[in-house]
Amino acid sequence: MSDITVPLLDLKAQYEPLKAEIETVIKDVCDSQWFIGGPHVDGIEKAVAQYCGAEHAIGVSSGTDAELIGLMALGIGPGDEVITTPYTFFATVGGIVRCGAKPVFVDIDPVTFNIDTSKIEAKITERTKMIIPVHLYGQCADMDPVNALAKKYNLNVGEDSAQAIGARYKGKMAGNLGDWSWYSFFPSKNLGGFGDGGMVTTNDAEFAHKLKMFRNHGSEPKYYHKHVGGNFRLDALQAAVLEVKLKHLDSWHEGRRSNAREYEKKFVEAGVALNSSEAFEKRCEKPVVLPGGSEPGSTLTEQENFTSIVNQFVIRVRKRDELMKHLREKNIGCEIYYPVPLHMQECFADLGYNEGDMPHSEQAAKETIAIPVYPELSSEQLNYVVDTIVQFVGA
Ligand SMILES: Cc1ncc(COP(=O)(O)O)c(C=O)c1O
């Protein structure tokens, strides 16, 4: 057996070259004893706003809370419907339900795993208040049709950019493509903190102001409460770490994109893989289907208008569960994002969906597997992943 080990993500390798710089800023925060708000929170808010091109960025306690306070500040609640995808992390839909509103699901495009925008309009009713597209795995959803529908029906658009800080759509960045947006700084994200953290971005000054109140129990000034918000603040320690890491973010994205390109090339050269659009549009067959781009016929990495930050590199395979077991036996990290689409989750049974209602999401949940793509992956590790999968699917 090979002695190579490939984790799904190697945060120690990311930390090593940044150690001195990060320890300095952590010491700074400790010396100042300023843990809530303060210069580091202001600093990362300004830096993220500048990075994504939005006018306002509001640091909060997590990506989950970022969405939640936005929905609370908009007054989304009982009787309202919010259109979104069932193929996303739970938090996207958990926030809608926690506000008392009803999620209305639209199936995904099987090539990109993002919401199929051609199916949204049929789901709009007079109760629809919002559309939440999710930029899954770091590739932007097709935002022009979403924004056009929002304009036509006077709906709010909140982009779930939790997995997509730095992803681009037609030259603009995720986080600046709808009415408002949110990022997650969960450690496994491309920009990950040393714990939980998140951020809302928007170009609407009044909304930004309201969010700042909501993250602080709805108060302004202190102890005078205009709204019922909560404690949704971003820690100064997290902010300080994120300030250091943000400077390296673009080079990490590039490392991930370069690994994704290598996978695309090597699996095709080995004769076992097809790009997703060939598989779905041309109905070709191969044991591995690579993640597809939104542009017709494109691979994930070769598109002009959809620049993915490859938060995850997700392939489809037959015998997915057997492959997962095999990879783990061979010391290769892998994960399923996500094994149960949200319309089939036990806690959402009262929404009344049945198996077969979202066929592309259900199929993706059975066939997909994320393999290591982190920027520090060595070519030896990448080749080992490819060889192990090729041997398995060719067997
Ligand atoms: C698509 C999506 N939305 C929301 C979240 C929630 O972010 P957090 O884990 O920071 O609360 C995540 C994080 O995993 C996510 O991937």
Side-chain angles (χ1 to χ4, degrees):
M1 186 166 158
S2 162
D3 55 5
I4 304 177
T5 293
V6 195
L8 184 59
L9 178 66
D10 189 352
L11 286 176
K12 283 186 187 159
Q14 185 194 72
Y15 177 51
E16 206 47 50
L18 303 181
K19 204 168 173 179
E21 212 182 335
I22 289 182
E23 285 177 1
T24 304
V25 295
I26 289 179
K27 184 173 179 302
D28 226 38
V29 175
C30 293
D31 288 346
S32 75
Q33 291 290 296
W34 196 338
F35 297 116
I36 306 290
H40 290 291
V41 174
D42 293 347
I44 191 66
E45 287 181 341
K46 279 202 190 79
V48 168
Q50 195 174 23
Y51 180 76
C52 75
E55 279 171 44
H56 309 275
I58 299 96
V60 291
S61 34
S62 67
T64 303
D65 290 343
E67 175 186 346
L68 186 64
I69 65 162
L71 296 177
M72 288 167 77
L74 287 169
I76 300 290
D80 296 337
E81 292 179 356
V82 178
I83 293 177
T84 191
T85 158
Y87 201 61
T88 174
F89 179 59
F90 181 83
T92 312
V93 176
I96 300 168
V97 175
R98 285 170 72 188
C99 287
K102 181 178 163 195
V104 173
F105 294 120
V106 168
D107 204 4
I108 53 167
D109 170 336
V111 174
T112 63
F113 305 110
N114 280 328
I115 193 164
D116 181 343
T117 55
S118 69
K119 294 184 180 148
I120 294 177
E121 191 162 18
K123 297 287 179 83
I124 296 174
T125 70
E126 73 246 9
R127 291 178 296 281
T128 310
K129 289 279 153 43
M130 256 192 98
I131 308 173
I132 300 184
V134 180
H135 307 312
L136 203 71
Y137 309 144
Q139 174 173 219
C140 286
D142 193 1
M143 292 300 291
D144 283 351
V146 173
N147 286 325
L149 285 172
K151 197 165 173 211
K152 183 168 168 191
Y153 293 97
N154 193 26
L155 307 174
N156 183 278
V157 175
E159 299 160 77
D160 187 335
S161 306
Q163 301 181 4
I165 187 166
R168 285 181 185 273
Y169 175 74
K170 302 188 176 173
K172 273 175 92 176
M173 264 195 201
N176 193 18
L177 302 171
D179 293 304
W180 61 293
S181 180
W182 53 95
Y183 299 127
S184 162
F185 302 134
F186 185 77
S188 65
K189 298 296 192 276
N190 286 28
L191 180 61
F194 280 12
D196 282 308
M199 198 162 283
V200 182
T201 54
T202 181
N203 291 319
D204 180 336
E206 207 181 308
F207 184 53
H209 180 82
K210 216 167 169 185
L211 290 168
K212 285 187 176 165
M213 279 192 260
F214 268 83
R215 76 172 165 187
N216 219 353
H217 292 290
S219 64
E220 189 190 76
K222 207 173 174 184
Y223 305 127
Y224 291 78
H225 299 265
K226 289 192 172 56
H227 309 279
V228 180
N231 175 356
F232 295 123
R233 297 178 295 250
L234 177 68
D235 281 1
L237 275 169
Q238 297 305 334
V241 170
L242 292 165
E243 276 181 296
V244 174
K245 284 196 173 192
L246 181 61
K247 291 183 246 157
H248 302 272
L249 187 60
D250 285 338
S251 71
W252 294 334
H253 292 335
E254 207 27 70
R256 285 169 178 273
R257 289 175 54 76
S258 151
N259 289 335
R261 276 192 288 271
E262 283 298 296
Y263 277 138
E264 288 171 348
K265 198 167 111 220
K266 293 199 156 142
F267 280 120
V268 170
E269 274 171 9
V272 300
L274 278 177
N275 171 25
S276 194
S277 50
E278 287 173 300
F280 285 94
E281 286 154 24
K282 300 184 196 152
R283 308 243 169 255
C284 306
E285 286 268 324
K286 286 273 182 195
V288 175
V289 177
L290 296 166
S294 296
E295 290 170 16
S298 67
T299 67
L300 182 67
T301 61
E302 74 184 7
Q303 310 177 78
E304 257 177 55
N305 287 317
F306 293 76
T307 310
S308 171
I309 59 156
V310 198
N311 177 240
Q312 301 295 346
F313 191 81
V314 174
I315 58 173
R316 286 178 190 262
V317 281
R318 297 183 216 125
K319 298 198 204 155
R320 189 268 317 271
D321 293 344
E322 288 95 321
L323 175 63
M324 185 163 75
K325 189 164 165 275
H326 182 72
L327 291 177
R328 288 184 174 163
E329 279 165 11
K330 297 280 180 190
N331 296 323
I332 296 174
C334 53
E335 195 51 85
I336 299 168
Y337 301 110
Y338 299 94
V340 183
L342 297 177
H343 68 291
M344 297 309 295
Q345 292 286 351
E346 195 178 334
C347 64
F348 296 143
D350 60 351
L351 293 173
Y353 288 90
N354 295 306
E355 198 165 347
D357 287 347
M358 305 280 139
H360 292 308
S361 302
E362 291 162 29
Q363 196 185 350
K366 291 189 186 107
E367 295 180 349
T368 53
I369 185 164
I371 58 175
V373 74
Y374 59 89
E376 299 82 6
L377 197 68
S378 68
S379 28
E380 190 192 20
Q381 288 174 309
L382 188 141
N383 288 336
Y384 176 59
V385 176
V386 173
D387 292 346
T388 308
I389 295 176
V390 169
Q391 271 165 21
F392 179 85
V393 298

